């Protein structure tokens, strides 16, 4: 099965030396994948994540009913199958447009505007997949990922995917709804950090979606492209959707960023935007606690 939206990869192949030139002048990110490691310290009990009450949430119930999500996953043989079905459905709702944004950043608005012909960024794919999974009582969250040179480059330093908490595997797992991809190692789905480390170590990986295996050429292209983004990881503390409650923060910050050991905390995005919304941690236990 070929990946959706391969124009990015075709361009990288055609431009070749041009890509290296732009990286050299810090216009676009370096394609190099770096070794990263994190601390194994206990989680900070002060950090708390908030997730929606999926049983009594009118917004999520509307999303579930209006878009027939129960019927979509009705034939799923497992939780993982349900996740792959939502992954593929989210990926198919529009063609990627990296410069267009919706009037509101919620799945119902995004879907309504997509029905009218609008196309959106990776951000909106991440939101749609996460909210749709939450509507089915499968905890999920948009995951922002950033390159090592996020502060130095002018463009292309970030990407947004989704991480889903699988009760079956008792772990968070990475999916990319823009490209309709889920990575597996030895048949086990991976979280974002595990995915990066497997790419760095050149371990055998399988990319899958609801249609089956991603074909070898597309998988190689995706793995070559995604690796550089798997360096800094950040998620929002308050993941609640459609609830009229004050958004919870920690020390006035809305997000927790996972930073590799020995790396500096990034405070600038693409030379122009301040990253002033994050608490920083080196702890995997902080970032990947059970919801």
């Amino acid at each position: 099965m070929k990946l959706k939206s391969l124009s990015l990869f075709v361009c990288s192949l055609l431009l070749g030396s041009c890509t290296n030139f732009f990286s050299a002048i810090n216009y676009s990110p370096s394609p190099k994948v770096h070794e990263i490691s994190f601390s194994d310290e206990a989680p900070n009990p002060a950090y708390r994540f908030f997730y929606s009450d999926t049983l009594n949430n009118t917004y999520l119930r509307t999303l579930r009913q209006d878009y027939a999500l129960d019927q979509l996953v009705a034939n799923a043989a497992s939780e993982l199958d349900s996740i792959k079905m939502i992954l593929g459905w989210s990926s198919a709702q529009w063609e990627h447009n990296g410069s267009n944004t919706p009037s509101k950043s919620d799945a119902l608005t995004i879907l309504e505007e997509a029905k009218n012909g609008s196309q959106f960024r990776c951000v909106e794919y991440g939101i749609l997949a996460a909210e749709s999974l939450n509507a089915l009582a499968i905890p999920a969250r948009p995951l922002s990922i950033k390159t090592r040179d996020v502060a130095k480059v002018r463009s292309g330093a970030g990407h947004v995917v989704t991480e889903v908490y699988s009760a079956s595997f008792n772990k968070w797992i990475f999916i990319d709804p823009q490209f309709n991809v889920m990575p597996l190692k030895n048949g086990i789905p991976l979280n974002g950090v595990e995915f990066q480390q497997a790419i760095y170590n050149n371990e055998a990986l399988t990319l899958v979606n609801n249609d089956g295996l991603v074909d070898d050429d597309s998988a190689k292209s995706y793995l070559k492209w995604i690796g550089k983004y798997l360096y800094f990881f950040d998620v929002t503390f308050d993941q609640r959707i459609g609830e009229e409650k004050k958004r919870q923060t920690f020390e006035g910050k809305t997000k927790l960023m996972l930073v590799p050991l020995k790396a500096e905390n990034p405070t600038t995005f693409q030379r122009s935007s301040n990253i002033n919304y994050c608490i920083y941690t080196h702890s995997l236990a902080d970032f990947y606690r059970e919801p």
Side-chain angles (χ1 to χ4, degrees), residues 247-273:
R247 309 305 289 174
Q248 297 295 319
T249 62
F250 184 80
E251 296 180 355
K253 308 297 184 181
T254 59
K255 285 190 163 191
L256 182 69
M257 180 179 287
L258 182 63
V259 177
L261 291 169
K262 300 181 180 179
E264 294 184 5
N265 296 336
T267 58
T268 305
F269 181 75
Q270 295 181 169
R271 303 192 195 183
S272 59
S273 301

Side-chain angles (χ1 to χ4, degrees), residues 14 28 34 54 193 238 258 266:
L14 292 176
S28 61
H34 296 264
T54 56
V193 170
D238 195 336
L258 182 63

Side-chain angles (χ1 to χ4, degrees), residues 1 84 180 182 184 206-215:
M1 180 65 188
K84 287 189 287 187
N180 194 15
M182 174 191 291
L184 307 178
T206 303
L207 301 185
V208 300
N209 54 40
N210 195 46
D211 296 317
L213 295 176
V214 173
D215 71 275

Side-chain angles (χ1 to χ4, degrees), residues 170-215:
N170 193 32
K171 64 181 296 190
W172 287 95
I173 61 178
F174 175 108
I175 60 174
D176 189 335
Q178 179 184 333
F179 292 101
N180 194 15
V181 166
M182 174 191 291
L184 307 178
K185 186 177 79 171
N186 299 323
I188 305 297
L190 306 176
N191 63 39
V193 170
E194 292 169 335
F195 188 25
Q196 193 279 345
Q197 292 173 338
I199 292 173
Y200 176 79
N201 292 319
N202 199 28
E203 298 179 57
L205 292 169
T206 303
L207 301 185
V208 300
N209 54 40
N210 195 46
D211 296 317
L213 295 176
V214 173
D215 71 275

